[in-house]
Amino acid sequence: MTTIGLYLPGSSPLHRARAGHKLLVLVVAGAASVFLDEVWQVAVALGIVLVGYGIAGIPLRTALAQLRPLVWVAGFAALFHVVMNGWERAVVVLGVIAVLVLLAALVTLTTRTTDLVDALVVACRPLRRFGVDPERVGLMLALGVRCVPVVVGLAEEVRDAQRARGLGASPRAFVVPLIVRSLRHADALGEALVARGVED
Amino acid sequence: MIEARGVGHAYGDRTVLRDLDVTLTEQRIGVVGANGSGKSTFARMVNGLVLPTRGRVSVDGLDTRSQGRDVRRRVGFCFTDPDAQIVMPTVAEDVAFGLRRRGLSKAEAKARVTDALAAYGLADHADHPAHLLSGGQKQLLALTSVLVTEPALLVMDEPTTLLDLRNARMVSGVVAALPQQVVLVTHHLDLLDGFDRVLVFDEGRVVCDDAPGIAVAHYRSLMGATS
């Protein structure tokens, strides 16, 4: 199921572009997105991002799948803006969110995590004088990416256990064991990192 | 060579290991025992993940307390749950992770990763997300990521407990072919056939230390007697 944003091997120009450059584009696009104010501007931005997907050779279905987790948040935001500011504003706001999420996903879909980590480590190097360990920041990013499917897996286990015991959809019976399992996983992961020589 | 001298360990006031004195030089060493018998704690002592509260443990003469870093470079450790051990999102990246900071060039590291993936049958999965592998493949990946660093000694803590019989056999087949000294903690007693020496732990002590046939028989009668 969760194939969201995970690297798809390929040889397109976007795949070959340097991770640092792609991250930089993402940051600039994020900052510039506040200037998108008209529906046509958003449409152009969306078009550009979709062309990017075309260049990378990523099927439209995979692109749309990147937006699926947004449905709930976007639904509420849309309702709010339609009621408060009219449909045009709603289209702009949701469009900008969609553009940025699609762009971010395009970066992670065409870049190996290792390369992203390396780019981040290089970018964080100047922070060393403030006591930041760039390698550690990079490791945090890698672990973050890796933990998404793991926690989704834990959540599925908890939900199955809940169903097996006929506990219906009690939020507390879901959240508490999920947190406990996640913390235990974190402990085990810490131990594994030490065993693999991260602390040395 | 692993040496434990006068080793004891307690978590708070709960003693989990006591009076442990062993010298392990054999190529294949099995460790069995009930849950909570201290065998996992012992396994973790071999690479300094757990430091004994009494006595000392050394590997090839290196003390796990004062030379933990050197010990961990010599000792690879494989955990029960591969999900906790896989750090990077895709297969090849996870194998490469152990080689970071080893002073290898990118090309060298890549070659070693490719060789390791091929050696353990994961070559076709190099760019796959780790979470889409089967349980057996995940454990194989965890093992590959450890072996790529070429440890002199491999400690495995119940590596097959979460696996079905076929995958358990596959992992044990890989382990059997390794040139390294192996310490295998397991509940799959048939994996110990052909081992050189088996330690049986019970309530924090080694109660039997013998050839697999005798040790496993002792363990079976121990478990039968207490149930």
Side-chain angles (χ1 to χ4, degrees), chain A residues 55-70:
Chain A
I55 293 172
I58 294 167
L60 197 62
R61 254 189 54 189
T62 312
L64 289 177
Q66 310 306 316
L67 294 175
R68 205 170 295 147
L70 278 182

Side-chain angles (χ1 to χ4, degrees), chain B residues 4-9 17-21 45 52 54-57:
Chain B
R5 290 284 159 263
V7 166
H9 194 71
L17 271 185
R18 60 191 99 208
D19 309 330
L20 185 65
D21 269 290
M45 279 179 178
R54 308 180 63 163
R56 61 185 287 266
V57 177

Side-chain angles (χ1 to χ4, degrees), chain A residues 1-3 6-7 9 112-115 117-118 121 133 135 139 142-143 145-146 149-150 185 188-189 191-196 198 200, chain B residues 44 47 49 68-69 72 75 77 79 81-90 93-95 97-98 100-101 106 127 129-132 145:
Chain A
M1 51 161 303
T2 46
T3 49
L6 267 180
Y7 178 69
R112 282 173 210 276
T113 311
T114 312
D115 295 335
V117 168
D118 287 343
V121 168
D133 178 355
E135 283 287 340
L139 179 62
L143 289 178
V145 175
R146 164 76 186 130
V150 170
H185 176 77
L189 190 64
E191 206 175 32
L193 286 173
V194 174
R196 292 182 73 176
V198 171
D200 294 327
Chain B
R44 280 163 171 69
N47 74 339
L49 273 178
R69 176 194 167 137
R72 274 185 287 279
V75 182
F77 199 101
F79 293 83
D81 180 5
D83 264 323
Q85 196 174 344
I86 298 169
V87 175
M88 297 298 270
T90 66
E93 288 175 307
D94 191 70
V95 177
F97 177 79
R100 285 175 92 98
R101 303 193 199 186
K106 273 205 161 173
D127 278 322
H131 69 274
L132 294 182
S145 296

Side-chain angles (χ1 to χ4, degrees), chain A residues 80-190:
Chain A
F80 175 79
H81 282 290
V82 168
V83 172
M84 303 301 285
N85 306 318
W87 69 269
E88 260 185 41
R89 188 73 204 141
V91 169
V92 170
V93 170
L94 291 187
V96 169
I97 295 174
V99 165
L100 289 180
V101 170
L102 283 172
L103 190 63
L106 185 57
V107 171
T108 53
L109 282 167
T110 58
T111 319
R112 282 173 210 276
T113 311
T114 312
D115 295 335
L116 279 179
V117 168
D118 287 343
L120 189 72
V121 168
V122 171
C124 285
R125 221 161 261 170
L127 296 177
R128 194 175 275 165
R129 73 186 66 163
F130 303 112
V132 176
D133 178 355
E135 283 287 340
R136 199 160 279 209
V137 175
L139 179 62
M140 220 161 65
L141 172 74
L143 289 178
V145 175
R146 164 76 186 130
C147 279
V148 173
V150 170
V151 174
V152 169
L154 292 178
E156 280 167 0
E157 274 174 31
V158 171
R159 210 179 46 205
D160 287 347
Q162 216 178 346
R163 280 208 198 114
R165 292 194 284 167
L167 282 176
S170 153
R172 204 198 298 170
F174 176 73
V175 172
V176 174
L178 179 59
I179 292 175
V180 170
R181 276 181 204 224
S182 300
L183 290 176
R184 274 169 53 183
H185 176 77
D187 264 350
L189 190 64

Side-chain angles (χ1 to χ4, degrees), chain B residues 16-188:
Chain B
V16 290
L17 271 185
R18 60 191 99 208
D19 309 330
L20 185 65
D21 269 290
V22 285
T23 304
L24 305 173
T25 53
E26 294 79 1
Q27 271 298 98
R28 292 290 180 268
I29 293 153
V31 175
V32 296
N35 298 322
S37 59
K39 60 191 189 316
S40 272
T41 303
F42 171 65
R44 280 163 171 69
M45 279 179 178
V46 177
N47 74 339
L49 273 178
V50 172
L51 296 172
T53 46
R54 308 180 63 163
R56 61 185 287 266
V57 177
S58 66
V59 177
D60 296 339
L62 299 165
D63 189 277
T64 58
R65 189 181 305 273
S66 57
Q67 291 155 295
R69 176 194 167 137
D70 299 316
V71 168
R72 274 185 287 279
R73 287 212 162 195
R74 299 190 80 79
V75 182
F77 199 101
C78 195
F79 293 83
T80 310
D81 180 5
D83 264 323
Q85 196 174 344
I86 298 169
V87 175
M88 297 298 270
T90 66
V91 173
E93 288 175 307
D94 191 70
V95 177
F97 177 79
L99 296 178
R100 285 175 92 98
R101 303 193 199 186
R102 293 243 168 183
L104 295 173
S105 75
K106 273 205 161 173
E108 269 178 295
K110 201 176 166 196
R112 268 172 78 168
V113 170
T114 310
D115 289 349
L117 289 174
Y120 303 110
L122 290 170
D124 294 339
H125 301 287
D127 278 322
H128 287 186
H131 69 274
L132 294 182
L133 298 179
S134 72
Q137 287 170 330
K138 278 184 190 171
Q139 193 56 278
L140 215 48
L141 169 58
L143 186 56
T144 306
S145 296
V146 170
L147 291 175
V148 76
T149 64
E150 297 176 351
L153 160 67
L154 182 67
V155 181
M156 310 181 85
D157 185 17
E158 299 187 30
T160 58
T161 298
L162 299 175
L163 304 182
D164 62 27
L165 196 54
R166 178 201 303 244
N167 282 312
R169 293 237 167 96
M170 179 182 70
V171 168
S172 80
V174 168
V175 173
L178 294 176
Q180 279 95 343
Q181 185 183 18
V182 176
V183 175
L184 174 68
V185 178
T186 190
H187 290 301
H188 282 146

